[in-house]
Amino acid sequence: MGPRWKGKGSEAKALAIPISNSISNLQSSLIKSNSQAILSGCSVLLAANPEQTELLNQTCFGRPVITVDKDKQWFQFTFEEAFYLCYSLNCIKIVDSNDNVKTTNELWEYMVSKRASFCHSFKAYAHLRVKNWVVRSGCQYGVDFVAYRHHPSLVHSEYGVLVFYEGNGMNDRLRVWSDFQCTLRLCGSVAKTLLVLYVGRNGESVTGSSVSCLDGLSVDEHTITRWSPERCREDQAVVN
Amino acid sequence: MGPRWKGKGSEAKALAIPISNSISNLQSSLIKSNSQAILSGCSVLLAANPEQTELLNQTCFGRPVITVDKDKQWFQFTFEEAFYLCYSLNCIKIVDSNDNVKTTNELWEYMVSKRASFCHSFKAYAHLRVKNWVVRSGCQYGVDFVAYRHHPSLVHSEYGVLVFYEGNGMNDRLRVWSDFQCTLRLCGSVAKTLLVLYVGRNGESVTGSSVSCLDGLSVDEHTITRWSPERCREDQAVVN
């Protein structure tokens, strides 16, 4: 399944403004304004100027939050989004409620303490973001993430993503056939491919207590599709 | 969600021939012909005369099997279907490959040995069949069964059924939110309600080794639907 563009001209529009460019612009803009986001419970809040608002919307980081503050647009980031901006793109600082800047390791420890699966979930998120996929929550489709080739206004999401890792199993998914069937059928009916990311260890034992554990993790990609005998004949190349 | 009849006249057709009548007729016909089905691995085969073929199709027991045998129509039953016909409706005998009639307990032991979950799966199947629901495999939708109000040619299935039981958990389903979301979304998109049947013990400990364990099991029904704030306002009665 290739990308399903939304209407005429969407593909051309997308090609004209690659996501990678928009992310570079966002990065520069946030660095220039010395942006600080505020850690608040399980989310991270950032006040954006008009240019940044435009770029955050273009690159699908965070959700705009409606406030009484008319001068600034606030954005709410997930842990993955905030840590990606802070650690991978190195373009924002994150402060606690007392305005103290958190070090990367403090932030990491905090996020892992709030959500044990964060270590693997972030690895998977970053894995897709680095490849310029637009990554959003997959909660509507019962997966961990959905991945878009470009902005969701131009293209339907192409992948439903489940993140697996060694050990406890992040989410106890696909353990039984009925779950497999359910997930595949749902992904199929919304024209997505099911992408399973296995986040594994590169040999040495990995603990989630320090951000350096990310280097010890690898990501394997597997897409899962239904096998249809009719479509998988040996002479496919000849017939089609 | 009520029944979704397939086209005009289907509801009238269904009312004219209640499933309960067809099942009574099937029962009588099978008893009259002293029907014997053959146990073969994980399925059970029965040769049906034309009247029985019609009635089995009407009541959705088994799948017709194409054979070179022109005089008889063969049907292949699942364990649940075969045991329901044999034990609950008491209208067929089941023989092994040496033509020896299996006692109910022998049959039970065999089926449980082939599939440990059979005890609870059969309890759930019988629970729905007794109420005249037409029950088929839910494998297409990633659930254990689907339940129809009448023949699938007249009506869409109304429930996607998952069977849960105490202990190991029959199928490790709905343990995490993403599975919940996936299952609900899929059921919603195919206009079914998710019905979870909890098969539990009535006090005393139950072992699956004898068919009498069925008496010690109870079935609790729970439907699961998405809560939509817009549709669930307190003043619903007034507004609608």
Side-chain angles (χ1 to χ4, degrees):
Chain A
M1 250 182 304
R4 288 165 56 239
W5 297 100
K6 290 185 175 172
K8 257 188 185 174
S10 291
E11 187 172 0
K13 246 192 213 171
L15 283 171
I17 318 171
I19 286 289
S20 54
N21 279 19
S22 305
I23 289 184
S24 295
N25 294 341
L26 172 69
Q27 196 178 13
S28 316
S29 177
L30 289 171
I31 290 171
K32 213 169 77 184
S33 70
N34 198 15
S35 294
Q36 291 198 333
I38 302 155
L39 190 55
S40 163
C42 277
S43 62
V44 177
L45 298 164
L46 178 81
N49 65 32
E51 183 200 34
Q52 290 161 356
T53 299
E54 173 71 21
L55 289 167
L56 285 168
N57 283 331
Q58 264 179 39
T59 53
C60 286
F61 281 102
R63 297 244 172 230
V65 180
I66 296 161
T67 61
V68 289
D69 199 338
K70 285 195 177 141
D71 303 329
K72 298 175 194 163
Q73 173 63 57
W74 286 87
F75 278 80
Q76 180 177 2
F77 299 118
T78 62
F79 276 178
E80 286 82 1
E81 289 170 331
F83 200 77
Y84 190 77
L85 291 171
C86 174
Y87 172 76
S88 306
L89 298 185
N90 201 13
C91 61
I92 61 169
K93 299 276 174 220
I94 295 176
V95 299
D96 61 20
S97 49
N98 301 323
D99 245 14
N100 298 321
V101 173
K102 293 270 211 187
T103 67
T104 310
N105 263 331
E106 280 169 1
L107 207 57
W108 179 259
E109 274 168 39
Y110 177 83
M111 291 177 172
V112 170
S113 78
K114 287 277 178 194
R115 182 149 49 87
S117 63
F118 176 71
C119 172
H120 303 90
S121 163
F122 176 74
K123 184 77 188 182
Y125 178 87
H127 178 81
L128 294 170
R129 272 291 188 182
V130 162
K131 298 184 180 190
N132 292 307
W133 286 95
V134 171
V135 187
R136 305 245 63 167
S137 158
C139 126
Q140 249 190 306
Y141 306 103
V143 289
D144 297 318
F145 299 116
V146 285
Y148 299 80
R149 190 170 286 259
H150 206 279
H151 194 276
S153 66
L154 299 180
V155 68
H156 291 276
S157 60
E158 230 159 303
Y159 292 102
V161 184
L162 282 176
V163 182
F164 280 37
Y165 63 88
E166 289 170 38
N168 283 332
M170 174 169 174
N171 50 18
D172 279 332
R173 292 299 306 276
L174 307 188
R175 293 157 61 109
V176 288
W177 281 110
S178 67
D179 187 9
F180 242 100
Q181 286 151 347
C182 182
T183 310
L184 276 182
R185 165 87 189 214
L186 176 54
C187 283
S189 74
V190 291
K192 299 186 200 327
T193 300
L194 179 59
L195 171 66
V196 177
L197 294 182
Y198 290 91
V199 180
R201 295 169 188 180
N202 279 334
E204 279 175 78
S205 79
V206 174
T207 56
S209 62
S210 148
V211 69
S212 63
C213 84
L214 282 173
D215 302 328
L217 293 173
S218 62
V219 180
D220 279 334
E221 303 163 345
H222 294 266
T223 60
I224 301 180
T225 51
R226 203 162 66 91
W227 186 75
S228 164
E230 289 306 313
R231 291 197 197 159
C232 300
R233 291 195 188 286
E234 278 186 274
D235 51 354
Q236 195 176 27
V238 181
V239 175
N240 297 332
Chain B
M1 250 181 306
R4 288 165 56 240
W5 297 100
K6 290 184 174 171
K8 258 190 185 173
S10 291
E11 187 172 2
K13 246 192 213 170
L15 283 171
I17 318 171
I19 285 290
S20 54
N21 280 20
S22 305
I23 288 183
S24 295
N25 294 342
L26 172 69
Q27 197 178 13
S28 316
S29 177
L30 290 171
I31 291 171
K32 213 169 78 185
S33 70
N34 199 15
S35 295
Q36 292 196 334
I38 303 156
L39 190 57
S40 162
C42 279
S43 62
V44 176
L45 298 163
L46 179 80
N49 65 32
E51 184 199 34
Q52 290 160 357
T53 299
E54 173 72 21
L55 288 167
L56 285 167
N57 283 331
Q58 263 178 39
T59 53
C60 287
F61 281 103
R63 298 245 170 229
V65 180
I66 295 161
T67 62
V68 289
D69 198 337
K70 285 200 176 138
D71 303 329
K72 299 175 194 163
Q73 172 63 56
W74 285 86
F75 278 81
Q76 179 176 2
F77 299 118
T78 63
F79 276 178
E80 285 82 1
E81 290 170 330
F83 201 75
Y84 190 77
L85 291 172
C86 174
Y87 172 75
S88 306
L89 298 184
N90 200 13
C91 61
I92 61 169
K93 300 273 174 224
I94 295 176
V95 300
D96 61 20
S97 49
N98 301 322
D99 246 12
N100 298 320
V101 174
K102 291 270 208 189
T103 66
T104 310
N105 263 331
E106 281 168 1
L107 207 57
W108 179 260
E109 275 168 37
Y110 176 84
M111 289 175 173
V112 171
S113 78
K114 287 277 176 192
R115 181 149 49 89
S117 63
F118 176 71
C119 171
H120 302 91
S121 163
F122 176 75
K123 184 76 189 181
Y125 178 86
H127 178 82
L128 293 170
R129 272 290 187 183
V130 162
K131 300 185 180 192
N132 292 306
W133 286 94
V134 170
V135 187
R136 305 245 63 167
S137 159
C139 125
Q140 249 190 304
Y141 305 103
V143 289
D144 296 317
F145 299 116
V146 285
Y148 299 80
R149 191 169 286 258
H150 206 279
H151 194 276
S153 66
L154 300 180
V155 68
H156 290 277
S157 60
E158 230 159 301
Y159 293 102
V161 184
L162 282 176
V163 182
F164 279 37
Y165 63 88
E166 291 170 36
N168 284 332
M170 175 168 174
N171 51 18
D172 280 331
R173 291 300 305 277
L174 308 188
R175 292 156 62 108
V176 287
W177 281 111
S178 67
D179 188 7
F180 242 100
Q181 287 151 347
C182 181
T183 311
L184 276 183
R185 163 90 189 210
L186 176 54
C187 282
S189 73
V190 292
K192 298 187 202 325
T193 300
L194 179 59
L195 172 65
V196 176
L197 295 182
Y198 289 90
V199 180
R201 294 169 188 179
N202 279 334
E204 280 175 78
S205 80
V206 173
T207 57
S209 62
S210 148
V211 70
S212 63
C213 84
L214 282 174
D215 301 329
L217 292 174
S218 63
V219 180
D220 280 334
E221 303 163 345
H222 294 265
T223 59
I224 300 179
T225 51
R226 203 162 65 91
W227 186 75
S228 163
E230 288 307 312
R231 291 196 197 158
C232 299
R233 292 197 188 286
E234 278 186 273
D235 51 354
Q236 194 175 28
V238 181
V239 174
N240 296 334

